[in-house]
Amino acid sequence: MVKAIVGANWGDEGKGKITDVMAAQSDIVIRFQGGSNAGHTIVNNYGKFALHQLPSGVFYDHVTNIIGNGVAFSVENFVKEMKSLQERGVPKPHVLISDRAQIVMPYHVQFDVYEEERLSSRQFGSTKSGIAPFYADKVSKIGFQINELFDDEESLRDKVSHVLELKNATLKGLYCKDTMSEKEIFDKLMEYKEQIAPYVADTFDYLYHAVKQGKNILLEGQLGALKDTDFGIYPMVTSSNTIAGYGAVGAGIPPYEIKEIITVVKAYSSAVGAGEFVSEIFGEEADELRRRGGDGGEYGATTGRPRRMGWLDLVATRYGCRVQGTTTIAFTVLDVLGYLSEIPVCVGYELDGKRVDAFPSTTKLKRAKPILEVLPGWKCDIRGIKRYEDLPENCRRYIEFAEKEIGIPIGIISNGPSRDDIIYR
């Protein structure tokens, strides 16, 4: 069976933990899109980890971890992450990298930084990981697929020459920066070739046979539905498609093989970067939730930036789950809310003087204001509870209220950061 684990909102929902938990019963875990611009935080027997590119199945000996063709693949970060696992006592994971994946080049990172500098106050809040320039090159057909590094060197040199004509013109004319040499870029590609050679494979063929053999496969998405290029809060989105359906494209699996879509929903809201955020809160209220949130405070796993905080937005979440095609919801970080006597929840938007329950397009979203309903809190620590019926009554009411409003069953509840803090309904 193929299952997808994706996010309903702005990202940071806890997909890494859910993937880590479900990898125990899986044969293959695949990262199918995105790059090093976001991290998946995992707490297990080895410690606390923030994975940026590696699939969240790397802590299990029996799992084959695949970096799919849809990923913005940074060789430097891959080498760094693999080394970090080894240094912290994690057995070397079984990793395959798609030979159709494309490489994040050093100039992609540079262009990301330069463009944010140029935009100044109008910038997108990029993590400066090179993601937007990478995907722009991919669709412009001037990116480097990994398989090109293992073919005819002369053809590769010709392509480097062609690409640098464009890149150097932009560096010089738009950004007023130093240009790059063909030797510099070619040598870097040869360095990458040597570093990743043991891991490169035809993962499409591998997965074709794995599906035929009935292997249990997890597709692991990055960020959430509201950051999707097409369905998100454009233009303050990521540069890849964050929805489960793209897992078929970014991994090379027939779409009809994805039988279950587990969408991760946070019990409150958080976001990194710019963009519309209707239920956002500020001041001391936000600081308190940020300090208590996550598994050590709500700060970006990649950037360390303080996350923007808000109450659970059921309008945005319902939309995100519909975009994902959700079959089951995993409701996470519920334990964080235990300090509150009352918990506000966004149940609708006021837009131009009228109530709306459907998530609007970005131009309208800018004018939307939250309609809040206040639910009673449970005022206790729920970590360590293993059975749903043992949760405090008000906690169960909160879950069931969200479930009814979203219209999709909540089957998994995370009540703490560790692998064992999980409740199944």
Side-chain angles (χ1 to χ4, degrees):
M1 174 183 276
V2 181
K3 300 178 182 179
I5 299 176
V6 288
N9 300 105
W10 298 266
D12 310 313
E13 297 100 344
K15 295 179 294 298
K17 173 185 172 173
I18 302 303
T19 307
D20 175 57
V21 168
M22 299 196 69
Q25 288 81 43
S26 302
D27 301 301
I28 300 167
V29 178
I30 310 168
R31 269 291 302 275
F32 64 84
Q33 50 79 221
S36 300
N37 53 321
H40 289 176
T41 303
I42 292 173
V43 179
N44 57 29
N45 298 336
Y46 297 103
K48 179 180 176 181
F49 298 82
L51 301 178
H52 300 279
Q53 265 187 156
L54 290 175
S56 297
V58 291
F59 302 102
Y60 294 96
D61 292 339
H62 69 277
V63 172
T64 298
N65 297 274
I66 293 179
I67 295 174
N69 55 276
V71 170
F73 180 65
S74 166
V75 178
E76 285 93 348
N77 288 336
F78 172 75
V79 171
K80 190 185 302 181
E81 283 197 86
M82 290 290 282
K83 183 180 179 183
S84 176
L85 291 183
Q86 184 179 3
E87 289 174 346
R88 297 183 61 185
V90 179
K92 187 176 181 180
H94 184 203
V95 178
L96 299 178
I97 304 167
S98 170
D99 61 356
R100 291 176 172 83
Q102 295 197 20
I103 297 170
V104 176
M105 299 296 293
Y107 55 75
H108 288 140
V109 179
Q110 293 170 352
F111 275 56
D112 206 351
V113 172
Y114 299 156
E115 182 62 10
E116 288 286 87
E117 288 175 354
R118 188 184 72 84
L119 290 171
S120 186
S121 63
R122 297 176 290 119
Q123 62 185 243
F124 292 98
S126 169
T127 61
K128 300 180 179 65
S129 304
I131 303 303
F134 164 88
Y135 280 110
D137 280 5
K138 183 174 182 177
V139 297
S140 297
K141 298 177 282 292
I142 54 171
F144 291 97
Q145 279 196 345
I146 286 173
N147 63 78
E148 295 179 82
L149 277 56
F150 296 85
D151 202 28
D152 176 50
E153 286 193 6
E154 201 56 44
S155 297
L156 185 59
R157 288 183 187 274
D158 288 343
K159 183 170 182 179
V160 169
S161 177
H162 166 65
V163 170
L164 286 192
E165 285 181 26
L166 303 171
K167 297 301 172 188
N168 282 335
T170 305
L171 280 170
K172 188 175 180 180
L174 181 62
Y175 298 124
C176 301
K177 303 291 184 180
D178 293 337
T179 57
M180 300 174 287
S181 71
E182 292 179 18
K183 182 179 186 305
E184 172 190 355
I185 299 305
F186 182 81
D187 288 351
K188 179 57 70 174
L189 288 170
M190 291 300 98
E191 180 185 323
Y192 289 164
K193 174 183 176 179
E194 184 178 348
Q195 290 173 317
I196 63 176
Y199 306 98
V200 176
D202 181 351
T203 59
F204 176 82
D205 186 65
Y206 179 89
L207 288 170
Y208 172 81
H209 292 289
V211 170
K212 290 295 183 184
Q213 292 163 11
K215 299 288 187 182
N216 289 320
I217 300 171
L218 283 183
L219 295 167
E220 180 182 13
Q222 182 218 51
L223 294 170
L226 302 185
K227 288 292 186 177
D228 182 75
T229 304
D230 291 284
F231 292 99
I233 49 173
Y234 189 88
M236 300 303 182
V237 294
T238 192
S239 299
S240 64
N241 289 104
T242 62
I243 59 175
Y246 187 74
V249 179
I253 288 174
Y256 53 79
E257 294 291 351
I258 304 174
K259 305 298 186 187
E260 189 174 345
I261 298 171
I262 301 160
T263 302
V264 186
V265 174
K266 222 170 189 170
Y268 53 91
S269 298
S270 69
V272 172
E276 310 313 317
F277 188 177
V278 176
S279 69
E280 186 171 11
I281 57 177
F282 304 92
E284 292 182 8
E285 190 175 44
D287 289 341
E288 179 77 355
L289 183 55
R290 184 182 298 110
R291 184 178 66 80
R292 292 175 176 270
D295 50 15
E298 288 286 358
Y299 300 90
T302 299
T303 63
R305 289 184 295 188
R307 290 176 180 145
R308 299 162 65 193
M309 306 304 297
W311 303 123
L312 175 61
D313 185 335
L314 292 170
V315 180
T317 300
R318 184 166 53 238
Y319 170 79
C321 287
R322 289 175 180 177
V323 166
Q324 295 289 10
T326 306
T327 57
T328 305
I329 290 171
F331 205 48
T332 59
V333 293
L334 184 63
D335 55 296
V336 168
L337 299 177
Y339 73 98
L340 292 162
S341 299
E342 295 182 325
I343 307 172
V345 178
C346 179
V347 295
Y349 294 165
E350 181 187 323
L351 180 61
D352 300 333
K354 297 180 180 179
R355 174 174 175 145
V356 296
D357 296 311
F359 191 74
S361 56
T362 310
T363 49
K364 294 178 181 177
L365 198 61
K366 292 176 181 178
R367 305 193 302 275
K369 299 176 182 178
I371 298 172
L372 300 175
E373 186 167 332
V374 178
L375 301 180
W378 47 93
K379 291 293 289 181
C380 66
D381 186 1
I382 61 170
R383 290 190 188 183
I385 295 175
K386 300 297 182 186
R387 301 192 312 161
Y388 181 73
E389 53 268 32
D390 292 338
L391 288 170
E393 182 180 358
N394 284 346
C395 184
R396 297 197 306 272
R397 284 181 178 177
Y398 187 81
I399 295 165
E400 290 159 17
F401 181 85
E403 181 178 61
K404 182 180 178 182
E405 290 289 317
I406 299 167
I408 295 166
I410 294 175
I412 302 169
I413 297 156
S414 173
N415 60 331
S418 76
R419 183 183 281 172
D420 297 328
D421 294 325
I422 206 89
I423 298 170
Y424 297 96
R425 288 177 77 199

